[in-house]
Amino acid sequence: MDTKTTEGVKVTVTTNYLPDYSSPVQQHFVFAYKISIENNSEFTVKLLRRHWYIHDATGTMREVEGEGVVGQQPVLEPGESHEYVSGCNLKTGMGKMRGTYLMERMVDGKQFHVTIPEFSLIVPYKLN
């Protein structure tokens, strides 16, 4: 589990390798990641955009950017949290992801970036 807090917004990530959707022989490794976003600030915030950097073990880096997360732009009151699950495919059995969310404080429209902590994507048998 990896966690990072920015301006009172805490992001926690857990990951899983999905062997049933992967094909190592074809260099296709699929991972799921679960994100929890907790608003520990005193302001209501809205998640506007996401920006990901995805790295595999060959040094290849991809960027993914877009509105919201899994089709949603959640609004979080102070003390509320939002969870979602998404996925990533790599050509190697090891990689990592990191990124940011663009958030907006509803009270005054101030936009700010929340850091998504860097996390590893590793096929379990690579750890032995």
Side-chain angles (χ1 to χ4, degrees), residues 5-30:
T5 301
T6 310
E7 294 197 36
V9 178
K10 180 179 173 183
V11 178
T12 303
V13 184
T14 56
T15 63
N16 288 306
Y17 173 59
L18 303 177
D20 293 345
Y21 297 94
S22 299
S23 177
V25 172
Q26 295 177 321
Q27 296 181 322
H28 184 75
F29 300 87
V30 180

Side-chain angles (χ1 to χ4, degrees), residues 2 12-16 32-36 83-86 119:
D2 298 284
T12 303
V13 184
T14 56
T15 63
N16 288 306
Y33 54 89
K34 181 179 178 181
I35 305 273
S36 174
E83 290 186 348
Y84 72 94
V85 176
S86 191
F119 56 94

Side-chain angles (χ1 to χ4, degrees), residues 41-119:
S41 78
E42 59 188 76
F43 303 103
T44 301
V45 296
K46 180 178 183 177
L47 191 154
L48 301 176
R49 300 186 64 79
R50 72 195 181 287
H51 190 166
W52 287 107
Y53 299 92
I54 305 165
H55 302 263
D56 68 20
T58 67
T60 301
M61 192 268 292
R62 300 188 317 242
E63 282 188 69
V64 177
E65 189 175 10
E67 287 189 4
V69 290
V70 292
Q72 300 177 14
Q73 291 182 311
V75 175
L76 302 173
E77 300 287 337
E80 288 187 336
S81 63
H82 177 79
E83 290 186 348
Y84 72 94
V85 176
S86 191
C88 173
N89 62 307
L90 298 176
K91 292 184 179 182
T92 62
M94 296 188 340
K96 63 185 178 180
M97 291 177 63
R98 64 183 172 83
T100 58
Y101 295 125
L102 178 62
M103 307 288 279
E104 180 178 22
R105 273 192 341 204
M106 301 305 288
V107 67
D108 59 7
K110 178 189 175 208
Q111 294 186 356
F112 60 100
H113 286 94
V114 170
T115 300
I116 303 165
E118 183 173 285
F119 56 94

